[in-house]
Amino acid sequence: MKITLRQLQIFLAVAQSGSTTAAAGMVALSQSAASAALNELEHLLGVQLFDRVGKRLVLNDSGRQLLPQARHMLDAAQTIERQFADPMAGSELHIGASTTIGSYLLPAMIAAYRKEHTGARVRALVANTADIVDAVVNFEVDAGLIEGPCHADDVEVEPWMTDELIVVAAPRHPILQGGRKITLKMLRAADWLLREAGSGTREAVEHALIPYLHYLPSSFEFGNSEAIKRATAEGLGISCLSRSVVQDMIESRKLVELATPLPSLRRHFYMVVSRHRAPSPSLGKLLDFCRQWAHRPSSPH
């Protein structure tokens, strides 16, 4: 297709003003350039668009047929220009988040982001860490926020924030009875409630605990931290979860944080993007917002 937006712009200017001289002034061209562009458009379409009435150019049937289409094309072009002049206008980002982040951090973060960027739309995919990394690699999401180490070769990984892991149990769990000091031997003998294989939380917990406990005897495995939290409150076992996940049940006394001989347990959350994706301005703004969010006083780090 050889028709240009410039030709359509000149056509509209002539239709509005009635002459190529006046149209040239409207589009900042010489009269000869405007006249040549109009002639070229008519040549490409194989029709005359105007009737010459004295010194005026008046739209004929062909010109009236083209008029709404030309307006539509130029309006669409202007919309594109406005969209990229303001990257947030009309943009939709697809963000992947592993389960703990997606359930406990992402909702408040996206709400705050949209307050700052009212034109932005964000679609979230929540899954375990391995699935989110796969989604980034396969261009199914623009970026991912994950809570476990990333082993893929085709992504760039940036430490995002740190998260505190704590060991919790139900108030009536046997490990708390008698006021005994909790030992590593007692932790090794306990039934542990764990996330499924492939979960960032599972990998982080194993990385944090196995150097001290040597192994984790799993009583049950669950697909999300909320299920583990509630099963722990029912006394099915003990668990190691993000403080942000269990804080509400600690405050309501349905769970108790265990005073263990373990050192402070922390893990990194990460931002991941594909090495092969050129970041858009809107994605860059969202990632910058995530970085700033990580340093807010309320953030879990």
Side-chain angles (χ1 to χ4, degrees), residues 109-145:
M109 188 168 69
I110 294 303
Y113 179 71
R114 292 195 63 188
K115 285 182 180 179
E116 290 191 12
H117 306 287
T118 54
R121 297 191 302 274
V122 180
R123 182 186 302 176
L125 169 67
V126 179
N128 69 31
T129 290
D131 289 339
I132 294 301
V133 172
D134 285 343
V136 172
V137 170
N138 294 323
F139 298 96
E140 296 168 10
V141 296
D142 298 309
L145 303 173

Side-chain angles (χ1 to χ4, degrees), residues 8 42 77 98 110 139 170-171 227 233-234 272:
L8 294 177
E42 290 180 323
S98 53
I110 294 303
F139 298 96
E234 294 295 329
V272 293

Side-chain angles (χ1 to χ4, degrees), residues 207-226:
H207 181 77
L209 296 183
I210 286 178
Y212 304 95
L213 305 184
H214 308 312
Y215 66 97
L216 281 179
S218 173
S219 176
F220 293 98
E221 292 185 2
F222 296 85
N224 60 73
S225 296
E226 187 70 17

